Amino acid sequence: MTTHPTQDRKIFFLFPLALGSFFLLGTVRFLLDNLKNNQFQFLWQSSFSRHNNKILRVPINVSENEIIEESCNVFEGQWVWDNVTYPLYKEETCPYLVKQVTCQRNGRPDSFYQNWRWQPHGCNLPRFNAFKMLEMLRDKRLMFIGDSIQRGMFESMVCLVQSVIADGDHSIKRIPPRKIFRVEEFNASIEYYWAPFMVESISDHATNHTVLKRLVKLDSVEKHRKLWEGVDILVFESYVWWMHDPFINATYGSPENVREYNATTAYRLALETWANWIESSINPQKQKVFFTTMSPTHLWNWEWKGKIDGNCFNETQPIQGPYWGTGSNLVIMSILKDVINKLQVNVRLLNITQLSEYRKDGHTSIFGERRGKLLTTEQRSDPKNFADCIHWCLPGVPDTWNELLYAILLQEYRTHL
């Protein structure tokens, strides 16, 4: 005779099934909610295949408000005041900034320069997300190559991501001419490579160099390329060191044949040497290449004020309206575009020049270093001769350059999913 379970026994059998379903649905909902909020994209790293020891990764979620329409030029826009969401990090929370850029610590009385956000015309930049940036850099190397301006961009990127990394999971090493910031959890590195002329020069020593005794080898990147090759994302920059004087001592061909070149002619020859290396060495399927355009100087305030004897000292507001300073050489800009346009390999221009032209307020001025030392009280009292209107305070303008780089990488990531 067949017996039927009592109501209590039915509940006893069904309860574990219902409870299991509840937990399963709850887990799925938790995953989906967190993926939607961009907070869970890296947590599945603990799930990996024992067979090949490869981490199973959850794709980055690029939300609708992070998509930039192709018709929008992110390099054209205006600076808007934002003291709610900016700066993206605090000077005191990032231990990797050199004294040259820590303007608050060096005594700058205002912090307004930290609260300006770049707003492109017709679209919005996606908010910088450190987790997404690190996920895009997983198992990769990002290298910034250039002079001390480019070092500021490197330090900015390190500061933008380091706050979300667990203590002990990241480190920085100085292996001249490189600095290497490693993030072990993501097997990623953010690097800086000192090469003020891109091509070889007698100024290639990372610490012992001078702009006054320049000698450039216009036809070679041989020493540099050994450390560039195989890097996944390369961001080049070279400008200010070429502009110290209208002429530069250089060699082309025979290393013994030193002669004086017009600086813009020498720049083209050097850029063509670099371009030849790009064509012969870059794998477009695996590597991305960017070139950061000229970082503006604000050495003469008569250009925006009509005065004669001043510079960027004591400036606390951006320039309003159209502006292009004489510190940004249009011939150099034209040469750069011409050489890059002839390349078969895709090199993206990070056109930071115009947007940075407005930021006369963002320089280190008298709150930085000269020859490795902070300015003395006497030197600070003479801003006409000692204000640095070339380098930038951090947090500050270089953070925006990295926001633009991040935005471009995010769009490219989305299109290649």
Side-chain angles (χ1 to χ4, degrees), residues 108-110 298-301 304-305 307 309-316 360-367 375 379-389:
R108 179 163 174 165
D110 75 291
H298 292 90
L299 300 170
W300 307 283
N301 71 358
W304 64 84
K305 275 188 176 179
K307 296 182 179 179
D309 294 329
N311 51 35
C312 69
F313 170 68
N314 219 22
E315 294 288 352
T316 59
K360 59 181 171 58
D361 59 309
H363 294 287
T364 56
S365 182
I366 61 171
F367 305 104
L375 297 186
Q379 288 171 328
R380 289 188 178 189
S381 65
D382 184 13
K384 180 180 178 181
N385 291 310
F386 288 96
D388 181 349
C389 300

Side-chain angles (χ1 to χ4, degrees), residues 304-399:
W304 64 84
K305 275 188 176 179
K307 296 182 179 179
I308 298 175
D309 294 329
N311 51 35
C312 69
F313 170 68
N314 219 22
E315 294 288 352
T316 59
Q317 299 287 321
I319 297 170
Q320 301 297 325
Y323 173 78
W324 187 274
T326 55
S328 297
N329 189 301
L330 287 169
V331 176
I332 290 290
M333 195 75 160
S334 177
I335 290 171
L336 178 59
K337 290 180 178 179
D338 182 51
V339 171
I340 286 179
N341 285 340
K342 291 177 181 177
L343 284 169
Q344 297 300 310
V345 175
N346 183 31
V347 175
R348 295 290 303 267
L349 272 181
L350 272 181
N351 194 351
I352 58 92
T353 306
Q354 179 65 84
L355 65 92
S356 305
E357 282 279 8
Y358 302 126
R359 294 302 307 277
K360 59 181 171 58
D361 59 309
H363 294 287
T364 56
S365 182
I366 61 171
F367 305 104
E369 290 182 315
R370 175 166 287 206
R371 297 177 183 173
K373 295 182 179 180
L374 293 176
L375 297 186
T376 65
T377 302
E378 183 179 358
Q379 288 171 328
R380 289 188 178 189
S381 65
D382 184 13
K384 180 180 178 181
N385 291 310
F386 288 96
D388 181 349
C389 300
I390 296 174
H391 296 96
W392 304 90
C393 299
L394 286 175
V397 174
D399 300 323

